[in-house]
Amino acid sequence: MGRVSTTSLPKPDRAPELRAALLAAGFTADGLLDLLGAPAYAALARSETVPALRATRGPGDGALASLVRLFLLQQPEPYVHAAEALPIEAALADGWLRLEGDEVHATVDVRPYGGPDGEDWFIVSDLGCSVGGAGGIGGRGRQPGTAVVLGVGGASTTLAGITVRTPVGSALDVGTGSGIQALHASRHATRVTATDVNPRALEFTRLTLALSGAPEAELLAGSLFEPVGEATYDLIVSNPPFVISPGARLTYRDGGMGGDDLCRTLVQEAGARLNPGGYAQFLGNWQHVEGEDWRDRLRSWVPRGCDAWIVQRDVQDVTQYAELWLRDAGDHRTDPAEYTQRYEDWLDEFEARGTKSVGFGWITLRRTDAAEPSIVVEEWPHTVEQPLGEAVLAHFARQDYLRQHDDAALLEAHFALAEEVVQEQVGAPGAEDPEHVVLRQNRGMRRATKVDTVGAGFAGVCDGSLSAGRILDAIAQLVQEDPIVLRDRTPEAIRLLVEQGFLNPVAGPAQ
C-alpha cells in the first residue's frame, strides 16, 4: 500500500467530471464485486490486496481495472491506460493524480461506497489508510501525532446503520474524518455541519461530498463542540477517537484525554446541543473499573433532560485491548524492545486507573421534557440486523408508551405479537414439559427472552383483538389459577415484553 501524501490535497472543482468518468467505468461497489469476485472483494475490506492485484493483472483489462489499481491498490498505472479511464488532464491539474515519467500515481484513496438506497458514493481518504485487518495503519514510518485520515471501516458503517434517519432541519457530525456520517446525513438533513480537530479531515470530507454528488456541508475546525458554539441540532452523530490509550500518538484514534474522558465529555455536552426531540448517537469505549458497576458509570454520563439507550457490544480485557491497538499502530513490526515498552505503557496506564477491561458499544440520547427520563443500559453482544435506525426509534416510542401506562392501564391495553417472533421450547428429549420457553426475534436486535408457560401463552394469543386483562382471565381459567392473582403478577412481564419489542401496543377493535 502507498504512503500518506505530503502534497496538498486534490481540489473538488471538477469533481462532477471525475465522478461521471468513475461511474461510466463501473467503478462502483457493484462493479468491483463483478470484476474482482467475492473473495478478492472481501479481502480488500481486510486491507489484503494480493487477490485484487491478481484479478486485475494483465494488459488490456479495461478502464475499471486501471481505476482499481490506481485508487484502491495504489499502484502506478501507465498514462495511456489512465487516460482511457479518466479525464486525465483534469485529474492531474486538480491533484487527484501525479505524473512520474510515463506513469501516474493516485494522491488519495478513492473507495466506492454503496448508499442505503443504492446511491453510488465515494469515500476519499489518505493513501494506505483503508480500514481493516492488522495492517498497521498508524505505522509505515509515520511520526507520533500524524494526522492521517482513514476511510470506511466497521465502526463507521456500524454508526451509519444505527443512526435515526428521519428528515431533520440540522445535523452535526463531530469528528467527521473522511465524511462518511456527513454524507449519510446529507440524504435527510436540510443543513449538515461537520467538525474535526484535524483540518485535513475537513478537506477530505469536502472531497467525499463533492465526488459523491452530495450537497456541500458547513465545515468547522476544532475539538468536540467548541467550533459550533451554542448552536443546537436535531441530530448529532460521532464516531470519535475513543481509544483509551497512554497518550495521543495518532490523531484519528487517540482523543488526547485520560481514560474514557473524551467519550464522557462528548456525551455529557451533547444534551445542551440538542433541539427538543433531537437525537445524539455515538460509538464509544468505556472503562470497567475495579469495584464499580460499568452500568452505573455510563448512567452518570447521561445529561439531564435526555433519555438514553446504551448498548455494550463487546468487552476486552486490558491485554487484548492493548494488543489490538498496538497492532493497529504497527508497533508489532517495530524493535521488540520498543514494542515491549509500549505494551508496558498501556498496562501501566490501565493499572493506574484501576481498569480491568474495556467495553465498546453504542450510545443514543434523545432530548425529552419527561419528568423522569428513561435510561436503559444493557449488554447485547449477539448478532443484530442492520440497519437499526428504525429499531432505535421504536425503542424510544416504547419507552414513551410505558411511561404513560401504569399497570392498570396495561391490563386494559391491546397488544399484538411482533412480526417474525418464534417460540423455542428447551428441555430434555422426550420430556413431557419443557424446562423453559424462549421467545426469539428474527429482525432488528434479534433479542431472546425466557418466559414461563403463562407468558408464552399470553404472547401467542396477542393479536390485538382482546385486552391484556381479558386474555389473562382466559388463561387463569385454563390453568385453574385465581384471575386476580394472575392479573397482579403479570404486568411486570408484559412491561418487559413491550420494552424489548416482543409485543406492540395496538388500538383495540371498534366497540
Side-chain angles (χ1 to χ4, degrees):
M1 300 288 283
R3 298 173 299 169
V4 169
S5 172
T6 57
T7 61
S8 60
L9 294 178
K11 301 173 185 176
D13 302 354
R14 284 175 280 191
E17 185 179 352
L18 180 59
R19 171 179 169 79
L22 297 178
L23 295 177
F27 190 62
T28 64
D30 289 341
L32 291 185
L33 183 60
D34 291 341
L35 173 70
L36 303 178
Y41 185 76
L44 275 180
R46 304 189 300 269
S47 293
E48 296 292 348
T49 59
V50 173
L53 281 169
R54 290 172 63 87
T56 61
R57 187 175 293 160
D61 45 11
L64 179 55
S66 291
L67 294 173
V68 170
R69 287 191 292 266
L70 267 174
F71 289 118
L72 295 187
L73 308 180
Q74 280 107 58
Q75 300 292 310
E77 188 72 3
Y79 178 96
V80 293
H81 290 170
E84 294 173 357
L86 293 167
I88 191 72
E89 294 306 321
L92 286 167
D94 284 1
W96 296 90
L97 302 175
R98 58 183 172 84
L99 182 64
E100 290 187 8
D102 59 357
E103 293 182 327
V104 293
H105 300 249
T107 61
V108 290
D109 183 298
V110 177
R111 195 152 299 246
Y113 180 69
D117 291 328
E119 300 94 341
D120 289 314
W121 289 339
F122 300 96
I123 309 300
V124 188
S125 62
D126 269 315
L127 294 174
C129 287
S130 59
V131 181
I137 293 168
R140 310 176 195 280
R142 297 167 193 158
Q143 297 300 311
T146 300
V148 298
V149 177
L150 272 60
V152 181
S156 52
T157 55
T158 293
L159 179 58
I162 68 172
T163 299
V164 170
R165 296 298 175 195
T166 54
V168 294
S170 57
L172 171 65
D173 177 13
V174 179
T176 187
S178 53
I180 301 159
Q181 309 308 325
L183 180 58
H184 277 276
S186 71
R187 295 175 58 249
H188 62 103
T190 303
R191 175 173 58 89
V192 177
T193 300
T195 71
D196 205 290
V197 71
N198 177 7
R200 279 174 58 81
L202 299 176
E203 293 306 309
F204 274 111
T205 294
R206 191 188 311 278
L207 296 173
T208 288
L209 294 173
L211 198 58
S212 298
E216 293 184 6
E218 179 185 32
L219 304 175
L220 303 174
S223 178
L224 299 180
F225 295 106
E226 178 271 329
V228 302
E230 300 301 315
T232 58
Y233 301 86
D234 302 311
L235 174 67
I236 299 172
V237 292
S238 183
N239 176 19
F242 52 65
V243 177
I244 300 171
S245 59
R249 292 177 59 209
L250 301 166
T251 305
Y252 69 86
R253 69 168 206 194
D254 301 324
M257 297 186 186
D260 52 18
D261 283 355
L262 183 134
C263 288
R264 176 184 56 78
T265 302
L266 181 64
V267 173
Q268 289 180 336
E269 294 184 356
R273 302 316 197 284
L274 283 175
N275 291 328
Y279 286 86
Q281 298 186 266
F282 315 111
L283 300 186
N285 276 181
W286 41 81
Q287 298 168 165
H288 286 219
V289 177
E290 196 72 42
E292 175 187 75
D293 188 324
W294 66 270
R295 293 173 181 83
D296 292 339
R297 183 181 193 86
L298 289 171
R299 286 189 187 97
S300 73
W301 291 6
V302 178
R304 294 182 61 184
C306 286
D307 293 326
W309 184 23
I310 301 172
V311 183
Q312 180 167 274
R313 298 286 291 152
D314 190 24
V315 181
Q316 290 184 318
D317 67 50
V318 293
T319 59
Q320 292 173 310
Y321 189 81
E323 290 161 13
L324 169 67
W325 295 109
L326 286 166
R327 285 184 169 273
D328 170 81
D331 291 332
H332 60 305
R333 296 175 175 172
T334 63
D335 176 79
E338 185 177 351
Y339 175 82
T340 298
Q341 183 56 57
R342 285 182 173 163
Y343 201 149
E344 291 273 11
D345 291 344
W346 282 74
L347 297 185
D348 286 345
E349 175 77 5
F350 287 132
E351 184 176 345
R353 294 181 177 275
T355 305
K356 57 183 180 179
S357 55
V358 177
F360 167 82
W362 319 325
I363 299 174
T364 299
L365 306 178
R366 182 185 63 166
R367 190 76 187 174
T368 181
D369 58 2
E372 296 184 10
S374 163
I375 300 176
V376 177
V377 184
E378 62 175 317
E379 186 166 21
W380 188 252
H382 309 292
T383 301
V384 299
E385 182 188 49
Q386 287 274 33
L388 281 169
E390 290 295 325
V392 172
L393 286 172
H395 167 88
F396 287 100
R398 292 193 298 268
Q399 296 303 315
D400 288 342
Y401 178 87
L402 292 172
R403 264 195 297 237
Q404 296 161 7
H405 290 74
D406 60 16
D407 287 355
L410 285 182
L411 292 175
E412 292 298 320
H414 294 244
F415 301 97
L417 189 65
E419 293 183 3
E420 298 196 36
V421 172
V422 298
Q423 176 179 303
E424 300 173 0
Q425 297 188 159
V426 181
E432 183 175 347
D433 296 316
E435 293 177 11
H436 59 263
V437 177
V438 174
L439 299 182
R440 187 178 302 277
Q441 301 168 350
N442 286 320
R443 301 296 300 273
M445 290 292 288
R446 293 181 172 171
R447 294 186 184 278
T449 188
K450 289 182 182 180
V451 293
D452 59 18
T453 53
V454 170
F458 177 86
V461 174
C462 283
D463 61 3
S465 61
L466 296 175
S467 69
R470 291 277 302 278
I471 293 173
L472 289 176
D473 291 344
I475 292 175
Q477 186 174 1
L478 285 173
V479 299
Q480 297 182 332
E481 185 171 340
D482 185 336
I484 296 177
V485 173
L486 193 59
R487 278 174 170 258
D488 285 345
R489 69 178 175 86
T490 305
E492 183 179 353
I494 296 174
R495 195 170 292 276
L496 178 64
L497 291 174
V498 172
E499 180 177 327
Q500 295 192 346
F502 289 94
L503 295 178
N504 293 320
V506 296
Q511 298 299 317

